[in-house]
Amino acid sequence: MGHRHSDPFRLSHPDLEKLNRGLDRRDFLKKTAMGFGAIALNGLLASHQAQGQSLEQQILDALPRIAPKAKRVVYLFMSGGPSQFETWDYKPELTKRMGQDLPDSIRKGQRLTGMSANQAILPVAASAYGFRQYGQSQTWVSDLLPYTAQVVDELCVIKSMFTEQINHDPAITFFQTGHQLPGRPSIGSWLSYGLGSENQNLPAFIVMVSKDASKDQPLYARLWGNGFLPSEHQGVQFRSSKDPVLFLSNPEGYDGKDRQEMLDYLKQLNQLQNESWGDPEVDARIAQYEMAFKMQTSVPEVMDVSDEPQEVFDLYGPNSRDKGSFAANCLLARKLLEKDVRFVQLYHQGWDHHDSLPKNIVNQCKQTDQATAALIMDLKRRGMLEDTLVIWGGEFGRTVYSQGKLSPTGYGRDHHPKCFSMWMAGAGVKAGTTFGQTDDFSYNIIKDPVHVHDFQATMLHLMGIDHEQLVYKYQGRRFRLTDVHGKLVKGILA
Amino acid sequence: MIDLLGHLHPFLVHFPIGILVIACVMIWAQSIRKVETQSSISALLLLGAIAAIMASISGFLLSNSGAYEKGDVLAHQWWGIGTTLCALGLYFFQAYQKIISLILFVALAITGHLGGELTYGSNYFFARKKTVSQSKELSLSTVDTIQQKIELDTAVEVLSTAGNFPFEQEVLPILKSHCFQCHSSKKQKGKLRLDTEAFIKKGGKEGPILLAGNPLKSHLYRYLILPEDDDLHMPPEGKKQLNERQMAIIKRWIEMGAPFSESMHALSLPSNAADSMHASDIQSHALDIKQPTMTLLPLESANHADILQAKSQGLSISPFANHPAGLSLNFVNVKHLDSKAWQATKKIQNNVLQIKLTKRQDIQVEELLNFKNLQQINLEQSNIQDGDLERLGQLPHLAQLNLYGTRISDQGIKAIVAMKALKVLYIWQSRLSQEGLQALKKARPDLSIVEGKFQFSPPDTNRLKAIK
């Protein structure tokens, strides 16, 4: 390291001394107000520093252990609310009732959205696409998903999901954070906090958003936000542009050779700051700088697909060479999982089909079907499916009745929170099964309802965490991903 | 309602004691100082007698509530009734007033003492007072910090192999010294007894107190680590608390599946203990104890400090899915797989059941042989060679081997066939020939081989059109 300055020079800098010495009235009050806590904390810190483990880590290590079936999760979030009628929930009876008004005995006075509440009639719309049974499990799959149908024996299809939210943003926020209002940590952040990062050169929680989807409903970065958890646990978004992670590469004209040294000194400054202020966000900042530095080499490496053979691109489908497409993101997701990234989340928008559903959903399925199935098979042949959990699903379902005018091939469907379909595959999940059942209108659940919190609890369980134990104290309350709810869905566990 | 009257007993008993003692003192004072206070004495005696009757009734109701063993209450009950009669007698007959008042005083003291023993335990009065440090030991700590201390404490030597925990030597003495006072033949607070295996398994008013393998879901442990001022904390505030070692023992015992040794009956029990509980009762509250299956290795959890130590060397360590004490080791963060890296694993070697060495080109197979209990090795895309497989065959429990993308060729088949415990093999993109693969399949039909040959059949595009 030829360009290393001598330490005393840097450490005797007047700013640092001032930082060390300065303690005005306001500081004094702040520090003494922290009083007891700080003393106790110092004691604890002293004891764990000897162990080379953060206090947080030690507390987490002491959490009860459930044997984790899954080491990684890849969550394919189909944003907008895919219709269960054209994908997984086969309702042959509906063809006979095509165009009839939805019976009150089914709707039971349920409140509808403003988009269809004023319709004179709620005409039942059967799926415009056929279904067939596939695999040894003989699971019914829509003709729109010919590739996923070929891997259906790996899936556990849950037909009885339900949520409490009827509009996109609250529903997605509810799914991702366990609460309909923004501000709580996302699932991936909870997992990052609870389990840490297996690969110390990559973040534990990585997010990618398809660029090839229609952006009918927006996504916000807070959906992968850390909420009140320390900010190093927020999801890091990888983009398809030249810089996969914004502001990660060195600025032009800077050769980066003394980057390490610069960051070391910055860390010392931050630590001094930390000693005088005790703000946990300083710790987070230190961790983030360290991670960013490591990512300067690890990210370009993992994003580089040039050494993938043609056979892999063939598997993931024609779009897989198009950077930023869902297919390309699936391929990248596999690469990230191979690197032991804990939680990879892909978002694919465009499932919000209020009108012209039969036309629009074909394209959605085309964009996602093959790559999704390919991801599963690719994980399987590498021996990774047995400890990777794959999740596919949206934030809610869609109505059995048509929003707007119904014609045999032209109809739309409104939001429907009372039942929808998802699937899970891989680690710890009963492969080749279907769980739950809806009525003939796929309007109400008649067997084994699975609430969003139940889904979250089950997911954490598969990752080896008791959802009741993973808590974070904030504003005087111990918060959980599952709030005060959530039951383990034992029926889908292998 | 009747229960409530019973619960008033501890409150009511103070009245007869106070009032009758004053009456006695006044009787004696009157005889010494020759002052006439007979009317006041009579009034006090009447009041005291009424209070004594009420205390007796409430006491009787309390004894029927089931929280107390009948035999132990008996003495207190009859002394109480005697005291009441004595007070009544003193009120109605003034002959021998001084002597009877003395008897009344003694009777009051004895009744009170017997009552105290019921509440605070039999050796309560003569026992030494506990020190401040004992009782305050845990009061400031939160559950979390206690847990940490316990984790460190679990490092203590103790504890033998799986499913075979010295219950009698380690756990029972703790229960005896800290719990029996309220949860044994004498008393069954919360309908809970802890003095025999059957009772411990049955649990209390709220059901079972043990979930084998999960201390935090077992009330027996969970209540110990609650903050001392919590209503549910056990032993109750003010009673002798368990120290960290003792809590660690309980925790460990439950983690091991809460095994009882056969000789539990050797514990001296009142003869009626077994009678008071029906066999069916025990059945219906039977514990969900996860009996370790025969194939599970007898393995004790690794020392927490050793795990932390290895983690601090950059190793990724996580629990292994198929064994409660197993660990999974990942070298993803290790730059150079040198002897130093392997050295860091020395103390946890027996617990490591899975090792992941994906894409490593610097693997030395000899090092792997130190992990005697290995069940799963991920060697995908690594530098593993045919010659190494024979040595891997020395691992007796190796059940799963990932060799995809390696240079393994037909030369290695013999060694693979010889791996008796092997169940799953990944060999996609290895150099095995078709013939070799067939030979392997033939030699080991029980082996599940993932060849990874997979191609989608092109979809029938006609079906992608909407049904008219």
Side-chain angles (χ1 to χ4, degrees):
Chain A
M1 289 283 234
H3 25 241
R4 199 167 181 89
H5 301 281
S6 63
D7 285 355
F9 163 72
R10 289 288 175 102
L11 281 175
S12 60
H13 193 281
D15 282 349
L16 281 184
E17 280 180 15
K18 187 165 169 266
L19 194 66
N20 248 342
R21 197 182 49 229
L23 188 72
D24 56 20
R25 179 184 52 89
R26 194 171 289 176
D27 285 344
F28 178 77
L29 286 175
K30 265 192 179 160
K31 283 188 140 180
T32 45
M34 285 175 69
F36 229 126
I39 292 168
L41 192 66
N42 276 342
L44 289 168
L45 287 174
S47 71
H48 77 73
Q49 268 162 359
Q51 301 259 3
Q53 281 275 323
S54 70
L55 169 63
E56 187 186 290
Q57 190 55 46
Q58 289 200 19
I59 294 172
L60 292 167
D61 281 344
L63 282 176
R65 285 185 176 183
I66 305 168
K69 298 284 181 201
K71 293 217 168 89
R72 306 159 222 104
V73 179
V74 52
Y75 190 160
L76 314 173
F77 199 97
M78 300 295 122
S79 171
S83 164
Q84 69 271 37
F85 296 93
E86 282 78 14
T87 52
W88 296 102
D89 208 4
Y90 180 42
K91 294 297 170 196
E93 291 292 304
L94 293 181
T95 33
K96 290 181 215 152
R97 295 177 181 265
M98 192 79 171
Q100 292 176 12
D101 201 4
L102 176 68
D104 284 340
S105 60
I106 297 296
R107 182 181 154 196
K108 291 177 188 150
Q110 198 225 345
R111 198 173 56 145
L112 308 176
T113 74
M115 292 173 280
S116 59
N118 297 325
Q119 282 182 203
I121 170 175
L122 300 173
V124 164
S127 167
Y129 298 95
F131 274 70
R132 268 188 296 180
Q133 284 175 295
Y134 291 88
Q136 288 186 331
S137 56
Q138 291 292 290
T139 308
W140 288 99
V141 188
S142 154
D143 289 343
L144 294 178
L145 301 170
Y147 288 95
T148 313
Q150 293 176 49
V151 300
V152 78
D153 281 342
E154 305 293 338
L155 311 186
C156 171
V157 182
I158 307 170
K159 292 187 178 169
S160 51
M161 285 296 306
F162 71 104
T163 180
E164 292 162 14
Q165 302 302 322
I166 200 167
N167 264 322
H168 296 284
D169 185 60
I172 302 182
T173 308
F174 190 51
F175 238 107
Q176 298 301 295
T177 72
H179 198 262
Q180 76 269 37
L181 298 176
R184 298 206 186 172
S186 186
I187 300 172
S189 297
W190 276 112
L191 284 173
S192 168
Y193 170 71
L195 297 170
S197 189
E198 180 111 350
N199 186 335
Q200 286 157 14
N201 294 318
L202 284 167
F205 178 17
I206 293 173
V207 178
M208 287 181 277
V209 180
S210 306
K211 72 163 192 201
D212 56 343
S214 71
K215 308 276 192 292
D216 51 357
Q217 295 295 336
L219 294 170
Y220 306 94
R222 62 173 163 74
L223 289 171
W224 46 94
N226 54 297
F228 40 71
L229 293 176
S231 42
E232 69 261 35
H233 300 297
Q234 68 182 289
V236 176
Q237 187 181 354
F238 281 18
R239 295 159 195 268
S240 55
S241 51
K242 191 176 115 231
D243 267 349
V245 180
L246 286 181
F247 316 119
L248 186 65
S249 52
N250 290 323
E252 276 178 45
Y254 170 59
D255 68 358
K257 279 182 186 154
D258 58 355
R259 175 67 85 194
Q260 173 81 65
E261 189 193 9
M262 187 207 101
L263 287 172
D264 283 349
Y265 278 111
L266 182 62
K267 185 178 173 181
Q268 286 181 21
L269 267 174
N270 276 332
Q271 271 165 350
L272 282 172
Q273 190 80 294
N274 200 11
E275 279 162 27
S276 43
W277 292 96
D279 183 348
E281 274 304 287
V282 180
D283 285 328
R285 186 55 62 92
I286 293 172
Q288 282 167 319
Y289 273 120
E290 278 177 7
M291 179 56 80
F293 178 67
K294 291 173 184 164
M295 283 165 65
Q296 284 195 323
T297 44
S298 65
V299 169
E301 186 193 322
V302 78
M303 298 295 277
D304 177 21
V305 291
S306 58
D307 57 346
E308 292 288 330
Q310 181 58 36
E311 174 262 349
V312 170
F313 291 105
D314 290 344
L315 188 73
Y316 283 80
N319 292 334
S320 57
R321 282 197 186 272
D322 180 15
K323 265 171 126 187
S325 69
F326 181 79
N329 285 349
C330 279
L331 175 51
L332 280 179
R334 189 220 75 210
K335 290 197 64 170
L336 291 169
L337 296 168
E338 271 188 306
K339 294 269 176 196
D340 290 303
V341 172
R342 193 75 72 183
F343 193 89
V344 181
Q345 183 146 31
L346 307 191
Y347 283 95
H348 191 82
Q349 293 150 285
W351 292 93
D352 191 25
H353 301 137
H354 288 278
D355 54 59
S356 319
L357 185 143
K359 184 169 140 263
N360 292 330
I361 200 168
V362 174
N363 200 31
Q364 287 296 118
C365 290
K366 253 189 197 155
Q367 284 169 344
T368 55
D369 177 40
Q370 183 174 355
T372 304
L375 178 59
I376 287 182
M377 291 325 286
D378 205 13
L379 290 174
K380 189 178 165 105
R381 65 187 181 180
R382 286 165 208 268
M384 291 167 68
L385 193 61
E386 62 185 52
D387 54 4
T388 305
L389 180 64
V390 189
I391 302 166
W392 180 98
E395 68 267 38
F396 44 54
R398 305 207 79 87
T399 54
V400 62
Y401 61 82
S402 174
Q403 176 183 345
K405 217 172 146 243
L406 171 76
S407 74
T409 55
Y411 53 84
R413 296 189 191 274
D414 202 354
H415 307 166
H416 185 61
K418 288 181 79 179
C419 65
F420 56 103
S421 302
M422 278 183 84
W423 56 254
M424 292 168 115
V429 174
K430 241 185 229 168
T433 55
T434 302
F435 187 80
Q437 208 180 325
T438 55
D439 62 17
D440 283 344
F441 294 83
S442 190
Y443 201 94
N444 301 297
I445 295 165
I446 54 174
K447 198 179 153 210
D448 296 329
V450 178
H451 187 264
V452 173
H453 284 137
D454 302 337
F455 156 78
Q456 290 162 341
T458 309
M459 198 179 101
L460 289 188
H461 175 86
L462 286 168
M463 291 295 282
I465 296 175
D466 180 345
H467 70 106
E468 291 180 11
Q469 299 293 333
L470 184 63
V471 292
Y472 190 85
K473 197 169 175 191
Y474 172 67
Q475 290 185 339
R477 197 195 133 178
R478 283 168 202 273
F479 282 90
R480 287 175 11 200
L481 171 60
T482 51
D483 205 347
V484 295
H485 309 282
K487 287 190 299 284
L488 194 56
V489 187
K490 289 196 176 129
I492 66 166
L493 301 180
Chain B
M1 190 61 199
I2 288 192
D3 266 3
L4 196 70
L5 283 175
H7 292 168
L8 278 176
H9 183 68
F11 166 73
L12 289 173
V13 292
H14 296 90
F15 292 95
I17 295 175
I19 296 167
L20 292 174
V21 167
I22 294 176
C24 290
V25 171
M26 283 176 75
I27 289 169
W28 305 330
Q30 182 182 251
S31 67
I32 296 165
R33 294 185 54 198
K34 306 290 178 208
V35 283
E36 178 54 47
T37 50
Q38 193 56 44
S39 58
S40 310
I41 290 170
S42 289
L44 281 171
L45 284 171
L46 181 62
L47 209 59
I50 293 170
I53 292 168
M54 287 170 66
S56 300
I57 294 171
S58 62
F60 183 72
L61 294 173
L62 183 62
S63 73
N64 276 348
S65 70
Y68 296 86
E69 191 64 29
K70 267 275 174 305
D72 294 295
V73 180
L74 227 52
H76 175 63
Q77 179 186 324
W78 287 113
W79 276 102
I81 291 169
T83 309
T84 311
L85 291 175
C86 202
L88 278 172
L90 209 53
Y91 172 68
F92 287 114
F93 313 102
Q94 287 172 12
Y96 307 113
Q97 208 181 27
K98 273 184 278 179
I99 295 169
I100 298 178
S101 69
L102 203 62
I103 295 170
L104 175 64
F105 184 80
V106 172
L108 267 175
I110 291 174
T111 314
H113 174 71
L114 289 171
E117 284 205 322
L118 282 175
T119 312
Y120 302 111
S122 58
N123 51 358
Y124 161 72
F125 190 69
F126 298 103
R128 266 195 304 154
K129 203 165 181 278
K130 62 181 176 298
T131 60
V132 175
S133 68
Q134 269 175 324
S135 64
K136 290 290 171 195
E137 202 164 29
L138 299 162
S139 56
L140 276 176
S141 320
T142 65
V143 172
D144 290 342
T145 56
I146 295 179
Q147 283 233 319
Q148 278 181 60
K149 290 188 203 158
I150 292 167
E151 289 293 346
L152 293 174
D153 221 29
T154 330
V156 222
E157 69 309 358
V158 257
L159 324 180
S160 62
T161 51
N164 180 18
F165 193 90
F167 174 80
E168 233 175 293
Q169 292 82 33
E170 298 289 348
V171 181
L172 192 59
I174 301 172
L175 298 179
K176 216 170 187 172
S177 60
H178 290 82
C179 316
F180 275 21
Q181 222 173 70
C182 303
H183 303 292
S184 68
S185 58
K186 294 196 191 79
K187 237 182 178 185
Q188 297 88 40
K189 288 214 167 165
K191 302 228 158 100
L192 175 67
R193 287 181 65 161
L194 295 172
D195 50 353
T196 68
E197 180 181 342
F199 286 126
I200 295 173
K201 284 184 175 176
K202 175 174 179 270
K205 206 161 56 185
E206 293 168 32
I209 54 165
L210 286 177
L211 178 60
N214 194 341
L216 282 174
K217 292 233 160 137
S218 303
H219 288 175
L220 184 65
Y221 176 71
R222 204 186 166 112
Y223 286 0
L224 298 179
I225 60 167
L226 288 170
E228 202 180 334
D229 56 2
D230 194 299
D231 285 347
L232 289 173
H233 176 82
M234 283 292 146
E237 205 173 358
K239 301 252 164 140
K240 196 162 89 185
Q241 297 297 315
L242 274 69
N243 65 31
E244 281 153 28
R245 192 192 137 84
Q246 289 169 320
M247 290 175 35
I249 289 172
I250 302 267
K251 183 179 185 217
R252 195 78 178 82
W253 173 61
I254 299 173
E255 274 176 352
M256 301 292 286
F260 297 87
S261 52
E262 289 298 319
S263 45
M264 183 71 186
H265 54 81
L267 181 64
S268 62
L269 283 175
S271 56
N272 63 346
D275 308 344
S276 63
M277 199 165 130
H278 299 291
S280 61
D281 224 15
I282 304 168
Q283 279 291 309
S284 66
H285 289 86
L287 275 183
D288 177 25
I289 292 192
K290 293 169 207 146
Q291 286 297 340
T293 54
M294 291 308 287
T295 51
L296 220 51
L297 290 171
L299 199 59
E300 193 187 331
S301 292
N303 189 330
H304 194 67
D306 291 339
I307 298 176
L308 290 180
Q309 173 73 27
K311 273 188 178 174
S312 70
Q313 300 293 313
L315 297 171
S316 287
I317 301 171
S318 53
F320 182 63
N322 300 333
H323 194 294
L327 297 174
S328 174
L329 193 58
N330 190 345
F331 286 90
V332 64
N333 297 314
V334 177
K335 274 218 178 76
H336 305 290
L337 200 53
D338 48 19
S339 56
K340 196 170 151 247
W342 291 110
Q343 192 64 35
T345 67
K346 272 279 177 292
K347 285 183 177 165
I348 52 170
Q349 265 172 359
N350 287 339
N351 287 82
V352 174
L353 304 189
Q354 180 186 9
I355 289 188
K356 199 172 168 195
L357 291 160
T358 307
K359 288 193 180 171
R360 293 222 74 116
Q361 301 303 317
D362 48 3
I363 297 168
Q364 302 106 17
V365 180
E366 287 76 20
E367 295 287 354
L368 287 172
L369 299 182
N370 294 326
F371 300 84
K372 293 188 183 58
N373 295 326
L374 265 183
Q375 297 182 355
Q376 188 174 340
I377 315 181
N378 289 63
L379 293 166
E380 55 268 25
Q381 298 176 295
S382 73
N383 66 333
I384 190 91
Q385 304 206 8
D386 290 326
D388 300 326
L389 289 180
E390 212 163 306
R391 268 169 294 171
L392 283 185
Q394 293 170 26
L395 293 167
H397 304 291
L398 189 59
Q400 190 168 330
L401 195 51
N402 193 330
L403 297 173
Y404 105 72
T406 58
R407 286 181 287 256
I408 297 300
S409 69
D410 292 354
Q411 313 278 316
I413 290 174
K414 207 176 133 200
I416 295 173
V417 170
M419 293 177 183
K420 286 280 172 290
L422 197 65
K423 292 196 180 74
V424 183
L425 179 70
Y426 290 92
I427 47 101
W428 178 55
Q429 287 189 340
S430 68
R431 297 185 184 169
L432 278 188
S433 67
Q434 256 331 297
E435 297 78 46
L437 192 61
Q438 292 310 323
L440 177 60
K441 278 182 181 168
K442 208 173 158 195
R444 284 292 300 272
D446 59 316
L447 198 58
S448 151
I449 301 173
V450 182
E451 294 170 61
K453 273 193 302 190
F454 180 80
Q455 266 185 325
F456 289 119
S457 46
D460 176 2
T461 44
N462 287 328
R463 291 189 67 99
L464 279 178
K465 289 183 191 122
I467 303 162
K468 288 282 182 282

